[in-house]
Amino acid sequence: MEKSSNLFTLSLIFLLSVHSGAGAGRRTTGNGSNPSNPNLKNAYIALQAWRSAIKDDPKGILNSWVGSNVCDYKGVFCAESPQSGTIVAGIDLNHGGLEGILVKELSLLKDMSLLHLNSNRFSGTIPDSLKDLFALTELDLSNNLFSGSFPIITLQIPNLVYLDLRYNLFSGPIPDLVFNKNLDAILLNNNNFEGQIPQTLANSPASVINLANNKLTGDIPISFGYSSPGLKEILFLNNQLTGCIPQGIGLWSDLQVFDASFNSLMGHLPDTVSCLEDIEVLNVAHNKLSGELPDLVCELKSLMNLSVAYNFFSGFSQECAKLYGRNVEFDFALNCIPGRQMQRPEPECDMIPGGSLSCLRIPSLKSLSCGALLKSLNSSSP
């Protein structure tokens, strides 16, 4: 389960307020081809350079990219600025099927705040000149064919808050800096990123972080949970993560979606999960977790989907059995729970993976209120 950033919704409202008419940029007032307007002159240079670098346009989007009136170009959105007159405020070419590359001249679009290129066939690398886009707040390059290492240049765009690199061919490690930036959405899933998750994860103020479907290894950082309390969704699923689920998970009081399924996590599910009062989706299926499923987890009032299937849990209480009566989707198949159907064969349960693994846990945490959790965790940290 994945929700779009609120920022994306706001951007759509912005574009609709600036122009009417689906798929085509329109100027509201002023002259979109005014030769005395340096912003539009630079926009013309940038867009024509880009047009020449696009090799295939199956939907004929660029047929309108002729003449000096860039505000009539399809997918180009103009607005009126009190200081600069008519400006190019955004470009939305989502689902265009365009094949080509990004060109360095795009840095001439100094007033552009949105660049959405979802679902095209752009390839190559990201031009270094994009760091000069001071007004850019949203960059969506998802579902393309970009490759190479993480495009560090995107982290040098001064005012960027929404970064979407999903469904590309990026590889190598995720840089520490990505979680030190003031980004509200960090969407890196479905690439070939590898190596460990940076310890700077705890520094991120993002509300949505998606690292799913990569080749990440090692532990979830122990500092996990000590970051901004505004995180609402975090997805680690389908990587190669090991170790424990950190106890700090309970500090994210606003968390709604936590998905760490299809990894090799071990140990017990921390009791601090019970502090996630807004959690709706909790998925730790297809790991090597063990122990009993804590009662406090099953008592979470906002829970809509709880999946612990394909682990080595040894039991759960009546409180968890009541989940079906609350219309909560609860999947506990293929564990080691006696007397329950669809469990692992007994020989598989004789040797619990990670039985000797020591996870950092606070003794008798069940007696602590969630309000006292932060104080307790901080006092136990080195």
Side-chain angles (χ1 to χ4, degrees):
M1 178 177 182
E2 179 181 326
K3 299 178 181 177
S4 298
S5 168
N6 290 335
L7 193 60
F8 181 72
T9 302
L10 291 174
S11 72
L12 292 179
I13 294 173
F14 166 75
L15 290 177
L16 290 173
S17 69
V18 173
H19 300 290
S20 60
R26 293 291 183 268
R27 55 187 173 91
T28 51
T29 61
N31 190 343
S33 59
N34 186 350
S36 65
N37 186 327
N39 300 298
L40 296 178
K41 182 179 180 180
N42 285 334
Y44 175 78
I45 294 171
L47 295 174
Q48 289 302 316
W50 194 14
R51 182 174 186 261
S52 67
I54 294 176
K55 298 186 295 184
D56 189 28
D57 176 17
K59 298 183 179 180
I61 292 172
L62 303 185
N63 291 343
S64 66
W65 285 32
V66 293
S68 59
N69 192 349
V70 296
C71 295
D72 276 342
Y73 291 8
K74 191 171 184 179
V76 177
F77 296 88
C78 292
E80 292 300 314
S81 165
Q83 295 80 23
S84 307
T86 307
I87 61 171
V88 171
I91 295 177
D92 185 347
L93 298 176
N94 284 351
H95 304 283
L98 299 168
E99 180 183 359
I101 61 172
L102 303 186
V103 295
K104 66 180 187 300
E105 288 85 355
L106 288 173
S107 63
L108 295 173
L109 300 169
K110 301 293 186 184
D111 300 297
M112 180 172 61
S113 62
L114 314 172
L115 181 57
H116 291 173
L117 304 178
N118 180 304
S119 301
N120 286 283
R121 290 173 289 157
F122 290 113
S123 60
T125 57
I126 314 304
D128 288 350
S129 61
L130 261 60
K131 69 178 184 298
D132 297 327
L133 294 175
F134 292 98
L136 193 67
T137 59
E138 297 190 23
L139 180 61
D140 182 355
L141 303 178
S142 61
N143 199 17
N144 279 283
L145 300 171
F146 293 110
S147 59
S149 59
F150 186 100
I152 291 289
I153 199 65
T154 61
L155 304 180
Q156 297 177 25
I157 300 173
N159 295 301
L160 195 69
V161 293
Y162 181 98
L163 178 61
D164 191 346
L165 302 178
R166 294 175 293 174
Y167 294 95
N168 277 287
L169 302 172
F170 292 117
S171 58
I174 296 174
D176 293 354
L177 182 60
V178 70
F179 299 116
N180 286 331
K181 286 284 290 183
N182 189 30
L183 295 169
D184 180 62
I186 302 171
L187 307 177
L188 308 181
N189 53 290
N190 294 83
N191 280 281
N192 294 310
F193 291 122
E194 57 191 8
Q196 297 192 354
I197 299 172
Q199 294 296 321
T200 53
L201 175 67
N203 300 342
S204 177
S207 63
V208 179
I209 298 176
N210 193 338
L211 306 178
N213 301 312
N214 281 290
K215 300 176 181 178
L216 300 172
T217 57
D219 297 350
I220 298 175
I222 193 67
S223 57
F224 172 73
Y226 286 84
S227 58
S228 168
L231 185 69
K232 295 186 179 298
E233 298 186 13
I234 189 160
L235 294 93
F236 297 110
L237 68 117
N238 198 25
N239 280 285
Q240 300 164 26
L241 300 175
T242 55
C244 308
I245 296 177
Q247 198 168 22
I249 184 177
L251 298 178
W252 271 323
S253 57
D254 293 334
L255 195 65
Q256 297 173 353
V257 177
F258 177 81
D259 193 336
S261 59
F262 292 92
N263 282 287
S264 296
L265 299 171
M266 300 182 185
H268 296 182
L269 194 64
D271 286 339
T272 52
V273 172
S274 64
C275 296
L276 302 177
E277 296 181 353
D278 291 337
I279 196 76
E280 298 175 4
V281 176
L282 178 59
N283 190 349
V284 294
H286 293 267
N287 279 287
K288 300 176 181 180
L289 298 169
S290 58
E292 290 201 3
L293 190 61
D295 293 353
L296 295 170
V297 173
C298 296
E299 292 174 356
L300 290 165
K301 301 303 181 186
S302 300
L303 200 59
M304 299 171 59
N305 187 311
L306 173 61
S307 181
V308 298
Y310 290 85
N311 279 287
F312 291 85
F313 287 108
S314 58
F316 59 80
S317 70
Q318 282 299 113
E319 196 61 44
C320 295
K322 294 177 184 177
L323 289 174
Y324 294 111
R326 291 169 43 195
N327 293 320
V328 175
E329 294 185 27
F330 179 34
D331 187 359
F332 59 89
L334 290 169
N335 278 280
C336 299
I337 304 174
R340 298 285 180 174
Q341 296 182 345
M342 296 182 64
Q343 298 300 295
R344 291 180 180 274
E346 189 170 333
E348 291 185 15
C349 298
D350 290 340
M351 184 68 70
I352 302 297
S356 60
L357 182 67
S358 177
C359 298
L360 176 62
R361 297 287 186 255
I362 299 173
S364 304
L365 193 61
K366 283 189 176 182
S367 63
L368 295 175
S369 68
C370 289
L373 176 60
L374 178 58
K375 180 178 178 182
S376 301
L377 285 175
N378 284 339
S379 64
S380 67
S381 300

